[in-house]
């Protein structure tokens, strides 16, 4: 029999020993998935990109700014002939729906596509909306659901191992074991959406299915039937108690409202998720002790008990290298989960030496990475609107598929932050400053020299007359850290395999093309 007080006390202990990593994990999950909507109140107001001046790609471009509330209103009008008029109550509802919902969700992507189909015949905008819906579905099943399992794995490990790394949320990708967990989570999402139509049934099934991500985090090889059965058995007689456990956080939710959700990802999200992990381990422990059916599928005892150094050395001596690729001493770090003893081993190609963001870059490396960042920046700006709104907008002012501002900001990040790469928090703050300052500086110059006014937005912060500077800084800081820690080292691993003369020729050609593009764009 478990008690709320004991679970929350254990969660607070975990929070004290691994606070920064827990906050970082919940922040990443909030950005990359539709979870923790309340903590992204101000982040949802941000349209990704350094360029805030208006870029039109056709007569339908303005539709990309359609809010989630507008989508719901249009759907109600199409199917039920209900017209929602602007009143103080509907304005409040609009702010709440747009703030606490995500544009990348399958629901709103599907509604946008359905509305477009009812309004017009098959056309290019409808095709792009259909493509956006398809991408949203893929993202949900192959990224969002997998990251939920990864988050569960992180919180399960960090209970016992205080040096669990943030990258643990991507552990299924490293294991190269995606298909079965993705299928189980896909079924969970579909069943949950269908039960939500009954409202009461949706609430009950939400708690009945709540342990599935944790079960998959412990044993990704479990099949769909067993995963649902174990979750149902674990929550048998505990759904109401878990509801009351979540209800006990209501005070924190109320306190987070004045902070626009900042309190959520600074404290509430890691606290609540750590409590849920404690609950899973308590239910799991009782289930194993009772020798209930399928208890042997809880096959990771190392989540409960940390091996001593002597036991770890014995296990290391007995470890058969033919069973997996873990042979380096780095994978036996104390106070971290001994990955070589996990039930599933990654393929050899997945275990490589860590990429080093501190390595020296030559001038040719900086120039090459400038073009890579510019192209990836164009992809980020353009395809973020496609996945969010179902409409493709070429966000670049230039004709080529590049945004030089991203290249400039990324290169400056490498130059200024490389020496501090072992200190992620200062690096995040500095990259936020670099990207934000360069973006606003270029926008100010464009407005001053060429009269390009910033794009108007209908979101909450613009209505108040405030720029969502905090949202910009958080998002762009994440982009900058991705460039420093992953894109730059990964790209250079590939580029250094090419002949030097070939790289020089490519940089010269791209430089000439970009220069001509800039001259033509700003001369007309």
């Amino acid at each position: 029999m478990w008690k709320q007080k004991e679970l929350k006390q254990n969660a607070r202990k975990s929070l004290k020993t691994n606070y920064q990593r827990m906050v970082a994990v919940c922040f990443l999950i909030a950005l990359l998935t539709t979870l923790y909507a309340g903590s992204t109140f101000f982040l949802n107001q941000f349209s990704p990109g350094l360029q805030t001046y208006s870029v039109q790609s056709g007569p339908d471009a303005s539709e990309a700014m359609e809010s989630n509330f507008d989508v719901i209103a249009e759907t109600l009008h199409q199917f039920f002939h209900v017209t929602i008029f602007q009143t103080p109550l509907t304005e409040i509802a609009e702010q709440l729906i747009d703030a606490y919902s995500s544009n990348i969700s399958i629901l709103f992507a599907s509604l946008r596509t359905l509305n477009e189909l009812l309004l017009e015949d098959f056309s290019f905008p409808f095709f792009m909306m259909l493509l956006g819906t398809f991408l949203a579905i893929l993202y949900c099943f192959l990224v969002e659901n997998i990251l939920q399992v990864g988050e569960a794995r992180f919180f399960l490990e960090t209970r016992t191992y205080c040096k669990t790394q943030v990258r643990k949320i991507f552990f299924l990708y490293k294991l190269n074991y995606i298909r079965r967990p993705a299928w189980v989570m896909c079924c969970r999402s579909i069943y949950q959406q269908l039960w939500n139509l009954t409202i009461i049934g949706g609430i009950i099934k939400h708690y009945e299915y709540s342990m599935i991500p944790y079960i998959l985090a412990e044993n990704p090889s479990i099949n769909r039937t067993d995963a649902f059965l174990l979750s149902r058995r674990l929550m048998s007689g505990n759904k109401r108690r878990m509801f009351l456990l979540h209800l006990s956080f209501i005070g924190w939710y109320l306190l987070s409202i004045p902070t626009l959700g900042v309190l959520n990802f600074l404290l509430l999200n890691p606290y609540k998720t750590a409590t849920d992990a404690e609950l899973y381990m308590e239910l799991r422990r009782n289930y194993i002790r009772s020798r209930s059916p399928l208890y042997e599928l809880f096959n990771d005892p190392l989540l409960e008990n940390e091996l001593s150094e002597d036991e770890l050395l014995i296990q290391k001596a007995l470890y058969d290298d033919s069973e997996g690729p873990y042979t380096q001493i780095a994978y036996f770090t104390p106070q971290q989960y001994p990955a070589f003893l996990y039930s599933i081993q990654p393929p050899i190609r997945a275990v490589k030496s860590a990429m080093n963001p501190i390595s020296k870059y030559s001038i040719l490396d900086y120039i090459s990475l400038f073009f890579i960042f510019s192209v990836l920046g164009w992809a980020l700006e353009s395809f973020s609107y496609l996945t969010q709104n179902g409409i493709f907008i070429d966000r670049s002012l230039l004709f080529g598929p590049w945004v030089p501002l991203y290249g400039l900001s990324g290169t400056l990040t490498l130059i200024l932050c490389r020496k501090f790469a072992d200190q992620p928090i200062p690096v995040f703050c500095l990259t936020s400053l670099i990207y934000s300052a360069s973006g606003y500086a270029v926008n100010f110059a464009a407005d001053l020299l060429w009269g390009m006014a910033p794009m108007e937005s209908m979101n909450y912060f613009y209505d108040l007359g405030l720029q969502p500077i905090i949202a910009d800084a958080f998002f762009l800081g994440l982009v900058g850290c991705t460039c420093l820690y992953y894109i730059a080292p990964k790209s250079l691993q590939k580029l250094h395999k090419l002949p030097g003369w070939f790289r020089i020729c490519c940089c010269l050609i791209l430089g000439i093309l970009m220069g001509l593009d800039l001259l033509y764009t700003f001369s007309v």
Side-chain angles (χ1 to χ4, degrees):
M1 188 66 66
W2 53 274
K3 297 181 180 179
Q4 286 189 16
K5 185 176 181 181
E6 294 178 358
L7 294 179
K8 297 176 82 170
Q9 284 179 346
N10 293 335
R12 285 194 292 269
K13 291 179 182 178
S14 299
L15 198 60
K16 289 179 181 179
T17 58
N18 214 353
Y19 173 73
Q20 290 189 10
R21 291 191 177 95
M22 286 184 171
V23 172
V25 165
C26 289
F27 177 64
L28 286 174
I29 295 296
L31 282 178
L32 299 175
T33 73
T34 56
L35 301 179
Y36 305 134
S39 64
T40 56
F41 185 93
F42 66 88
L43 294 178
N44 283 345
Q45 316 306 315
F46 176 59
S47 296
L50 291 179
Q51 295 180 166
T52 57
Y53 36 74
S54 180
V55 180
Q56 297 292 337
S57 63
D60 299 315
S62 60
E63 295 180 12
M65 302 307 297
E66 187 178 33
S67 68
N68 289 342
F69 181 82
D70 294 334
V71 173
I72 295 175
E74 186 175 345
T75 304
L76 291 175
H77 180 72
Q78 291 289 337
F79 284 92
F80 304 103
H81 304 288
V82 175
T83 302
I84 298 179
F85 298 98
Q86 284 294 330
T87 65
L89 184 60
T90 57
E91 290 180 0
I92 294 175
E94 180 177 2
Q95 300 299 337
L96 291 175
I97 290 174
D98 290 341
Y100 288 92
S101 61
S102 172
N103 289 328
I104 65 174
S105 67
I106 297 178
L107 173 62
F108 288 105
S110 301
L111 289 180
R112 284 182 173 88
T113 305
L114 185 60
N115 291 338
E116 183 68 20
L117 177 62
L118 294 175
L119 288 173
E120 300 179 10
D121 295 330
F122 188 86
S123 59
F124 180 74
F126 172 71
F127 171 77
M128 298 310 297
M129 282 192 169
L130 194 62
L131 178 60
T133 303
F134 177 71
L135 292 177
I137 293 173
L138 284 182
Y139 187 87
C140 176
F141 294 152
L142 299 181
V143 178
E144 182 176 330
N145 286 342
I146 298 301
L147 290 181
Q148 288 185 47
V149 178
E151 181 196 31
R153 182 70 197 184
F154 171 85
F155 276 92
L156 290 179
E157 286 191 16
T158 199
R159 297 176 59 259
T160 307
Y161 306 93
C162 62
K163 291 187 178 180
T164 304
Q165 298 299 310
V166 174
R167 62 176 178 266
K168 184 61 71 171
I169 64 176
F170 305 106
F171 86 108
L172 286 177
Y173 296 108
K174 186 172 184 179
L175 293 178
N176 196 25
Y177 202 87
I178 303 295
R179 186 177 303 175
R180 181 166 292 185
W183 167 244
V184 176
M185 291 295 290
C186 172
C187 293
R188 174 180 181 262
S189 299
I190 294 174
Y191 296 164
Q192 182 65 61
Q193 293 299 325
L194 292 176
W195 277 106
N196 286 344
L197 299 177
T198 66
I199 302 178
I200 299 299
I203 297 174
I204 295 174
K205 290 300 178 179
H206 168 75
Y207 287 101
E208 185 174 296
Y209 298 157
S210 60
M211 293 298 135
I212 291 178
Y214 294 95
I215 294 171
L216 288 171
E218 179 173 0
N219 183 6
S221 63
I222 193 171
N223 61 46
R224 178 188 61 83
T225 304
D226 291 341
F228 277 79
L229 177 62
L230 283 177
S231 181
R232 184 163 59 249
R233 288 182 176 275
L234 288 177
M235 294 306 298
S236 178
N238 291 300
K239 290 186 283 293
R240 177 177 172 274
R241 301 179 66 192
M242 188 176 185
F243 170 77
L244 294 177
L245 174 64
H246 288 172
L247 194 63
S248 67
F249 292 95
I250 188 65
W252 290 105
Y253 282 109
L254 294 176
L255 287 175
S256 71
I257 295 176
T259 67
L260 301 180
V262 174
L263 181 64
N264 282 29
F265 66 76
L266 287 181
L267 181 61
L268 179 56
N269 291 339
Y271 184 21
K272 179 176 175 295
T273 310
T275 304
D276 287 345
E278 292 290 340
L279 173 60
Y280 169 77
M281 293 302 296
E282 182 67 24
L283 296 176
R284 169 190 181 276
R285 187 182 303 116
N286 295 335
Y287 196 85
I288 293 175
R289 287 173 179 173
S290 64
R291 293 298 188 267
S292 299
L294 302 179
Y295 79 92
E296 65 276 3
L297 293 178
F298 295 109
N299 60 353
D300 195 351
L302 294 178
L303 289 176
E304 189 76 36
N305 302 307
E306 183 179 7
L307 295 178
S308 66
E309 291 189 16
D310 292 339
E311 291 173 325
L312 189 60
L313 288 174
I314 293 173
Q315 292 290 340
K316 179 182 175 183
L318 297 175
Y319 177 65
D320 183 2
D321 289 340
S322 63
E323 295 294 328
Y326 287 119
T327 58
Q328 300 183 27
I329 191 65
Y331 293 102
F332 305 92
T333 306
Q335 297 181 314
Q336 288 190 32
Y337 181 89
F340 71 103
L341 295 178
Y342 191 56
S343 58
I344 298 176
Q345 290 290 286
I348 294 179
R349 65 178 182 275
V351 183
K352 301 177 182 178
S353 58
M355 292 178 290
N356 182 17
I358 310 178
S359 59
K360 294 183 178 179
Y361 299 138
S362 65
I363 295 178
L364 182 59
D365 291 336
Y366 283 123
I367 297 174
S368 302
L369 291 173
F370 168 81
F371 290 110
I372 291 175
F373 294 153
S374 299
V375 173
L376 292 178
W378 171 85
L380 173 65
E381 294 232 358
S382 299
F383 287 97
S384 63
Y385 276 81
L386 174 62
T387 56
Q388 288 184 355
N389 302 288
I391 294 179
F392 180 82
I393 296 180
D394 184 0
R395 289 280 295 169
S396 177
L397 279 179
L398 307 180
F399 287 94
W402 42 44
V403 179
L405 186 53
Y406 275 95
L408 176 62
S409 301
T411 306
L412 286 176
T413 298
L414 295 181
I415 295 173
L416 298 178
C417 300
R418 181 172 54 84
K419 295 182 179 179
F420 311 102
D422 57 340
Q423 305 177 44
I425 294 180
V427 167
F428 178 83
C429 296
L430 187 55
T431 54
S432 300
L433 179 62
I434 292 172
Y435 274 75
S436 301
S438 59
Y440 282 103
V442 170
N443 283 340
F444 177 78
D447 184 24
L448 183 65
L449 299 176
W450 294 285
M452 298 177 180
M455 186 191 308
E456 295 183 358
S457 175
M458 298 304 294
N459 61 40
Y460 179 77
F461 286 93
Y462 281 99
D463 289 340
L464 292 179
L466 301 174
Q467 292 282 353
I469 298 176
I470 300 178
D472 287 15
F474 271 93
F475 182 86
L476 296 174
L478 184 63
V479 171
C481 289
T482 304
C483 291
L484 175 65
Y485 290 106
Y486 183 78
I487 296 177
K490 191 73 173 179
S491 299
L492 289 181
Q493 284 182 355
K494 305 294 184 183
L495 291 175
H496 287 169
K497 297 178 181 179
L498 301 175
W501 63 267
F502 181 77
R503 292 175 59 192
I504 293 174
C505 291
C506 289
C507 289
L508 287 175
I509 295 173
L510 291 174
I512 293 172
L513 291 175
M514 185 177 289
L516 294 175
D517 201 346
L518 288 167
L519 288 175
Y520 178 78
T521 300
F522 291 101
S523 63
V524 295

